[in-house]
């Protein structure tokens, strides 16, 4: 009898323990109340490591130490531009499918250059400017944010925030409750489009009236710490950096109050680290104002920190300005994560952090170190291309447009002369390769009839959209830019532009690190799997299962 009682007691304890464990598993595997996608504009992967000795434990290091980091994640297409990057992150596919082939591109149907999110069917919400005539209409696929709305029968909220309009609009998708961007100049206000709403919410109006933007422009931009301790960057005053209009030197401090009017008024906040702090302030206001993470549904907040890109373009990756910008951004991230802990609950949200592209070291700086680097003149290239068509086809009217390292042919003119567009395109491919600075050239027909499975031509193919792209596609030498010899840019398929951080953190995410090869298009299907929803409708990425609990 005693043995029987002991057995029943043991069995009861065993069952109870199993139930406790089951409850615990259910608690930890519950979907997050809020997903926060953070995109840092122009962040190279090496910034995570280069400045790590000065990062706090609560910003980048918190994500790295308690989240899952991909050390070998890359963009897998060309061109690596802002609009394309944000779209690819959230659609889980490349320009070949989603249709955003650049920031601006030549529309061969409209016969003019277009901007990725311009849409005259809508008006600005927030003021009388034209900065809100925008929508995501040119994005041909759904986003993970769209799919979350669909899965929840349009319940839950999706909000997009960025200083840049394209960085707010494209991630938020077609079904967003709101996307907000900064209208600088004389206005200094966050605005939206009638695509989303008829009036700005009260919390946005209150934020715009708060004087936050002006408060960030009242003091000079000096280094956060003693500049002599900034050992991860080159000398402050150098010939490789650009200046603000009105400056005589590139050195700290930058007198922002006195530079404001000569540099676009409130637009100058975009080009200094304060722009990131300002974005974080607005993000926190959105979380409170929209009650994100408080309902029975999962909300999605897509945030892009854009000022890193402006600083990078002007000063370059090796500058003290970039070092200071990332040390300050680390503090902004720490503050935002702490706010999420308090407002949403530490176990109730999931974050992913990545970048829309990286950047090359300033080519003139590389040249000073005897590292191969180049500057390409598009005006000279255009002249050379016209000489080719004149020589072989006796016409300088066969090329309609040259932009984004693509040649668009005038098909009507070619046909009127009894020529074959494929013959013209292939002859250009054969000849432009002889132009100094062009490393590879491929025709649209080759893109359509060949399958490049690896390397930079695979990236070119992933970025080629049969409907929208040009007839000849070009790849310059590594470390090649157009324009002036100060500051940097991006857009290539080389590793300096493609290697970016990808970190997952929070609800449903393991702690760890992976050195496996992953692509930027893998983020959306991974988040979709975490949320147990359908991936975006043209997704070609894979689930990063080793990051998920």
């Amino acid at each position: 009898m005693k043995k029987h009682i002991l057995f029943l007691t043991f069995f009861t304890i065993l069952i109870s323990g199993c139930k406790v464990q089951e409850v615990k598993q259910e608690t930890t595997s519950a979907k997050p109340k809020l997903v926060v996608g953070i995109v840092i504009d122009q962040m190279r992967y090496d910034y995570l490591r280069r400045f790590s000795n000065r990062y706090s434990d609560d910003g980048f290091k918190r994500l790295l130490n308690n989240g899952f980091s991909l050390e070998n994640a890359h963009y897998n297409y060309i061109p690596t531009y802002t609009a394309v990057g944000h779209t690819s992150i959230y659609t889980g596919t490349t320009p070949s499918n989603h249709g955003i082939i650049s920031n601006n591109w030549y529309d061969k149907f409209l016969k003019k250059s277009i901007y990725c999110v311009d849409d005259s069917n809508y008006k600005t919400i927030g003021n009388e400017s034209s900065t809100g005539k925008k929508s995501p209409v040119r994005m041909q696929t759904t986003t993970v944010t769209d799919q979350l709305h669909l899965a929840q029968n349009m319940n839950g909220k999706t909000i997009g925030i960025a200083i840049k309009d394209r960085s707010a609009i494209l991630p938020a998708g077609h079904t967003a409750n709101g996307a907000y961007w900064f209208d600088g100049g004389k206005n200094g206000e966050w605005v939206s489009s009638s695509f989303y709403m008829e009036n700005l919410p009260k919390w946005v109006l209150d934020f715009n009236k708060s004087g936050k933007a002006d408060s960030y422009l009242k003091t000079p931009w000096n280094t956060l710490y003693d500049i002599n301790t900034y050992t991860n960057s080159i000398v402050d005053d150098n010939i490789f950096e650009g200046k603000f209009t009105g400056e005589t030197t590139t050195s700290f401090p930058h007198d922002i109050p006195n530079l404001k009017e000569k540099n676009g008024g409130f637009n100058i906040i975009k080009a200094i680290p304060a722009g990131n702090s300002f974005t974080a302030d607005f993000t926190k206001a959105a979380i409170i104002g929209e009650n994100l993470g408080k309902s029975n549904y999962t909300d999605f907040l897509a945030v892009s920190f854009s000022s890193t890109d402006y600083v990078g373009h002007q000063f370059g990756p090796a500058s003290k300005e970039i070092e200071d910008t990332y040390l300050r951004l680390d503090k902004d991230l720490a503050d935002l994560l702490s706010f999420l802990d308090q407002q949403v609950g530490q176990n109730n949200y999931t974050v992913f952090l990545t970048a829309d592209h990286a950047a090359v070291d300033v080519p003139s700086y590389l040249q000073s170190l005897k590292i191969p680097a180049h500057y390409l003149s598009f005006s000279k290239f255009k002249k050379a291309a016209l000489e080719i068509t004149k020589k072989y086809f006796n016409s300088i009217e066969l090329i309609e447009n040259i932009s984004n390292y693509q040649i668009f042919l005038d098909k009507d003119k070619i046909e009127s002369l009894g020529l074959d567009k494929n013959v013209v395109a292939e002859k250009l491919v054969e000849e432009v390769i002889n132009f100094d600075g062009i490393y590879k050239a491929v025709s649209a027909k080759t893109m359509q009839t060949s399958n490049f499975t690896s390397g930079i031509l695979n990236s070119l193919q992933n970025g080629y959209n049969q409907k929208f792209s040009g007839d000849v596609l070009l790849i310059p030498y590594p470390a090649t830019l157009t324009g002036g010899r100060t500051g940097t840019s991006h857009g290539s398929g080389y590793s300096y532009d493609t290697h970016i951080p990808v970190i997952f953190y929070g609800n449903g995410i393991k702690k760890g690190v992976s050195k496996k090869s992953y692509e930027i298009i893998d983020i959306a299907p991974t988040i979709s799997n975490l949320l147990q929803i359908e991936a975006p409708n043209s997704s070609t990425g894979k689930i990063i299962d080793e990051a998920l609990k």
Side-chain angles (χ1 to χ4, degrees):
M1 184 67 179
K2 287 182 179 179
K3 289 182 180 180
H4 183 62
I5 292 171
L6 287 171
F7 175 78
L8 287 175
T9 303
F10 174 78
F11 184 76
T12 302
I13 293 171
L14 181 64
I15 294 297
S16 299
C18 289
K19 286 182 178 178
V20 170
Q21 189 168 353
E22 284 175 7
V23 171
K24 185 177 181 181
Q25 286 176 344
E26 287 173 3
T27 301
T28 56
S29 64
K31 292 180 183 179
K33 306 292 286 183
L34 176 65
V35 177
V36 183
I38 298 174
V39 180
I40 301 175
D41 204 321
Q42 203 188 115
M43 183 177 183
R44 293 163 44 130
Y45 173 81
D46 67 332
Y47 292 164
L48 277 179
R49 303 302 178 187
R50 190 194 302 182
F51 310 131
S52 64
N53 64 316
R54 301 297 288 273
Y55 289 152
S56 71
D57 291 331
D58 303 315
F60 286 115
K61 284 184 178 179
R62 175 177 172 180
L63 298 178
L64 286 169
N65 294 336
N66 297 291
F68 197 93
S69 175
L70 309 182
E71 295 187 342
N72 191 24
H74 286 261
Y75 275 86
N76 63 328
Y77 62 77
I78 299 170
T80 44
Y81 293 141
T82 295
V84 198
H86 283 78
T87 306
S88 299
I89 291 166
Y90 282 85
T91 63
T93 193
T94 59
S96 59
N97 293 313
H98 62 58
I100 301 297
I101 62 172
S102 189
N103 294 333
N104 301 79
W105 67 88
Y106 182 73
D107 188 311
K108 53 192 177 186
F109 303 101
L110 298 176
K111 305 295 184 184
K112 66 177 184 179
S113 180
I114 60 172
Y115 178 58
C116 56
V117 293
D118 273 352
D119 193 336
S120 60
N121 293 310
Y122 301 97
K123 65 179 182 179
T124 304
I125 300 299
N127 60 37
E128 299 302 315
S129 72
S130 61
T131 54
K133 294 182 176 181
K134 314 289 179 187
S135 86
V137 68
R138 290 192 171 92
M139 182 168 58
Q140 302 299 318
T141 65
T142 63
T143 58
V144 62
T145 46
D146 287 326
Q147 295 298 150
L148 179 59
H149 258 153
L150 290 170
Q152 300 182 139
N153 294 320
M154 301 309 294
N155 290 299
K157 291 183 178 180
T158 295
I159 304 294
I161 293 171
I163 279 179
K164 294 181 180 180
D165 49 23
R166 57 189 180 269
S167 304
I169 292 168
L170 296 167
H174 304 275
T175 62
N177 299 88
Y180 303 95
W181 52 95
F182 187 62
D183 179 15
K186 295 181 180 180
N187 293 318
E189 298 172 329
W190 291 86
V191 299
S192 191
S193 163
S194 58
F195 177 85
Y196 305 101
M197 63 193 70
E198 294 182 2
N199 298 289
L200 289 180
K202 183 179 183 300
W203 67 266
V204 180
L205 294 173
D206 291 343
F207 190 92
N208 282 338
K209 293 175 184 176
S210 69
K212 276 278 188 181
D214 194 54
S215 69
Y216 279 116
L217 302 180
K218 290 186 179 299
T219 56
W221 173 18
N222 212 335
T223 52
L224 184 62
Y225 306 110
D226 181 350
I227 195 169
N228 294 315
T229 66
Y230 281 45
T231 58
N232 296 303
S233 46
I234 61 176
V235 64
D236 190 24
D237 189 16
N238 62 74
I239 62 172
F240 312 116
E241 300 174 5
K243 302 182 184 72
F244 287 107
T245 301
E247 281 189 323
T248 57
T249 176
T250 64
S251 300
F252 279 104
H254 300 285
D255 191 358
I256 302 304
N258 289 323
L259 293 170
K260 176 182 173 183
E261 293 309 314
K262 290 183 179 180
N263 291 269
F266 282 104
N267 279 332
I268 198 171
I269 199 172
K270 301 176 182 180
I272 59 177
N276 292 326
S277 303
F278 184 50
T279 301
D281 291 338
F282 189 74
T283 299
K284 288 184 282 186
I287 293 170
I288 295 173
E290 297 289 344
N291 289 312
L292 299 181
K294 297 293 188 181
S295 75
N296 294 325
Y297 300 95
T298 300
D299 299 322
F300 208 119
L301 179 59
V303 183
S304 182
F305 290 99
S306 305
S307 294
T308 43
D309 185 65
Y310 290 96
V311 175
H313 277 294
Q314 183 169 340
F315 296 100
S319 66
K320 296 201 183 302
E321 282 78 4
I322 273 290
E323 183 170 0
D324 191 66
T325 295
Y326 277 88
L327 296 181
R328 291 178 181 273
L329 178 59
D330 180 64
K331 287 185 172 293
D332 290 328
L333 286 174
D335 184 55
L336 180 58
L337 291 170
S338 177
F339 180 84
L340 287 167
D341 291 342
Q342 298 167 20
Q343 187 69 21
V344 183
Q346 191 164 357
N347 297 317
N348 292 330
Y349 66 90
T350 303
V351 171
F352 70 80
L353 181 147
T354 188
D356 58 344
H357 53 74
V360 66
D361 279 295
V362 180
S364 58
Y365 171 59
L366 294 177
Q367 289 173 347
S368 74
L369 301 174
K370 299 181 180 179
I371 296 173
H374 314 271
Y375 288 94
L376 187 146
S377 168
F378 257 120
S379 60
K380 291 181 180 178
F381 176 79
K382 182 178 181 180
K383 181 180 178 181
L386 293 177
E387 288 175 353
I388 292 169
T389 62
K390 176 65 176 176
K391 177 179 179 180
Y392 290 97
F393 305 107
N394 196 33
S395 176
I396 59 171
E397 298 178 323
L398 306 186
I399 295 176
E400 197 167 81
N401 179 269
I402 301 177
S403 56
N404 292 322
Y405 288 103
Q406 296 185 35
I407 299 175
F408 293 82
L409 297 177
D410 187 332
K411 297 174 180 60
D412 292 335
K413 185 65 178 180
I414 289 171
E415 186 176 335
S416 71
L417 295 175
L419 300 171
D420 185 322
K421 68 172 184 178
N422 290 322
V423 172
V424 175
E426 292 298 341
K427 180 54 68 175
L428 281 166
V429 167
E430 290 176 12
E431 295 296 321
V432 296
I433 198 68
N434 298 316
F435 185 83
D436 187 28
I438 299 299
Y439 206 32
K440 298 180 188 294
V442 184
S443 69
K445 184 176 181 180
T446 298
M447 289 284 97
Q448 295 168 27
T449 57
S450 301
N451 182 29
F452 299 100
T453 58
S454 63
I456 200 163
L457 288 180
N458 171 255
S459 296
L460 188 67
Q461 192 162 49
N462 288 334
Y464 170 76
N465 186 290
Q466 185 177 355
K467 190 173 184 70
F468 303 127
S469 295
D471 300 289
V472 175
L473 293 85
L474 312 166
I475 297 177
Y477 283 121
T480 295
L481 293 182
T482 59
R485 296 178 63 84
T486 61
T488 191
S489 195
H490 48 87
S492 81
Y494 296 112
S495 61
Y496 54 75
D497 277 340
T498 66
H499 190 198
I500 38 79
V502 176
I503 310 172
F504 298 93
Y505 169 87
N507 185 302
I509 304 299
K510 292 179 182 176
K511 294 181 183 180
V513 62
S514 176
K515 300 181 186 298
K516 294 179 183 178
S517 177
Y518 286 104
E519 297 171 336
I520 197 66
I521 59 173
D522 297 335
I523 292 176
T526 300
I527 294 297
S528 297
N529 185 259
L530 172 71
L531 298 175
Q532 291 296 287
I533 62 174
E534 185 64 31
N537 63 14
S538 291
S539 175
T540 51
K542 59 183 178 293
I543 297 168
I544 307 168
D545 58 350
E546 62 177 321
L548 302 177
K549 287 182 179 177

